[in-house]
Amino acid sequence: MSLEWFDRVCGELQDYMESICEEYDEMGHITVDRAAKHPRIECFVEMEDNEREFFCTLFFDPHNEEFYMEAFDLETEQTSRTLLPDIEDIIEAVHESFHDFLDEFELVDEIEVEEEDEEDTILLEDDADLMDDLEDEDYEEIIVDVEWTTPEVMAYTYLDEVEVSYQFGVIHDTGDGILRRVNRIKTEDNELLEDESNFIFSKEEAGTIIELIENNMETMDGFDM
């Protein structure tokens, strides 16, 4: 197993993104977790209140020496993995996730993708072989098998209008834990809206996450404040 490819991308990704995207140059940042079972790069925007909004997470499989992204399929209730074999795939994935984030949070009125001059698109001359096909988006999709070890557990309800539930599972091929969050909201028209998200973490991270929550519970406000 080797982290050479991971370290190389960590050292160059920020420069790549800043050179091809003006908005990212002004707002985008990355943080690196090298100690996890599957090291990862997390991309985020720092908001006005100094809170970080994460918009993209790149995982690295050290055994196969490849990057991948994960997403939860609401229909199949399984996690899909998108392999990112080359640096152009990684940049394209981060760039697309960043602009999806901007559109979702309405941080810009209109996003225009501008083509850079040929001189600007050659980001590293000595690594030109890694950047010869930026328009290739033929990623390989793999369905990740999740074993749900608990039923859906109600976390809280509020005025019969909001309901939040959680479910815990384990990803077979990595052994990582996954928390599935289901948020149900009843509208004024009595329509039920449902939103699902998932959070993946390694066993090594679990203790830290639990400790952070326990040590900061008193600083949080609830509905009955």
Side-chain angles (χ1 to χ4, degrees):
M1 295 187 292
S2 172
L3 293 179
E4 179 181 355
W5 177 229
F6 177 78
D7 292 335
R8 185 178 179 186
V9 172
C10 289
E12 299 175 355
L13 179 60
Q14 185 73 6
D15 290 339
Y16 283 173
M17 290 301 304
E18 290 176 355
S19 67
I20 68 171
C21 181
E22 182 178 352
E23 288 87 356
Y24 186 96
D25 185 26
E26 297 174 355
M27 307 168 63
H29 306 277
I30 66 172
T31 181
V32 176
D33 183 0
R34 198 175 187 272
K37 181 178 181 180
H38 278 203
R40 61 179 178 268
I41 302 173
E42 295 181 298
C43 307
F44 67 92
V45 169
E46 191 166 312
M47 312 301 285
E48 293 181 356
D49 56 2
N50 293 325
E51 291 291 329
R52 291 181 176 183
E53 290 287 350
F54 292 87
F55 61 85
C56 181
T57 299
L58 303 171
F59 295 93
F60 182 73
D61 182 349
H63 180 75
N64 296 310
E65 298 185 20
E66 60 188 9
F67 280 89
Y68 64 91
M69 295 175 63
E70 291 186 332
F72 190 76
D73 191 310
L74 299 180
E75 294 184 0
T76 63
E77 296 189 354
Q78 291 182 314
T79 301
S80 64
R81 176 176 295 182
T82 301
L83 296 183
L84 306 171
D86 297 310
I87 187 65
E88 61 264 23
D89 300 324
I90 296 171
I91 294 173
E92 195 73 22
V94 173
H95 197 194
E96 181 178 349
S97 297
F98 175 67
H99 282 278
D100 288 344
F101 170 83
L102 294 184
D103 291 339
E104 180 180 355
F105 284 87
E106 299 180 351
L107 297 180
V108 292
D109 295 330
E110 183 179 355
I111 303 300
E112 295 182 353
V113 179
E114 298 180 355
E115 294 294 334
E116 301 289 342
D117 295 334
E118 182 179 354
E119 180 179 351
D120 295 331
T121 58
I122 302 177
L123 304 178
L124 282 180
E125 294 182 359
D126 56 345
D127 286 333
D129 57 322
L130 298 177
M131 301 297 300
D132 59 356
D133 191 13
L134 283 173
E135 295 182 354
D136 182 14
E137 298 180 359
D138 187 19
Y139 303 152
E140 181 181 355
E141 293 284 346
I142 299 177
I143 298 298
V144 177
D145 188 14
V146 176
E147 177 184 356
W148 297 107
T149 60
T150 71
E152 190 175 297
V153 178
M154 180 75 65
Y156 69 84
T157 61
Y158 180 67
L159 299 179
D160 295 327
E161 296 176 357
V162 178
E163 176 183 299
V164 176
S165 299
Y166 283 86
Q167 187 175 16
F168 180 81
V170 175
I171 300 175
H172 279 297
D173 60 343
T174 66
D176 291 337
I178 178 171
L179 273 179
R180 174 179 173 234
R181 183 180 189 270
V182 182
N183 185 26
R184 299 179 177 91
I185 301 175
K186 185 177 294 185
T187 67
E188 295 180 355
D189 299 329
N190 207 32
E191 180 183 357
L192 184 62
L193 302 180
E194 186 173 298
D195 176 67
E196 295 189 21
S197 59
N198 66 96
F199 173 65
I200 298 173
F201 56 94
S202 66
K203 184 176 182 179
E204 292 78 6
E205 298 172 81
T208 301
I209 295 171
I210 294 171
E211 183 178 355
L212 284 172
I213 295 174
E214 290 180 343
N215 292 342
N216 290 275
M217 285 286 289
E218 295 182 358
T219 66
M220 301 171 64
D221 294 328
F223 288 124
D224 55 351
M225 59 177 291

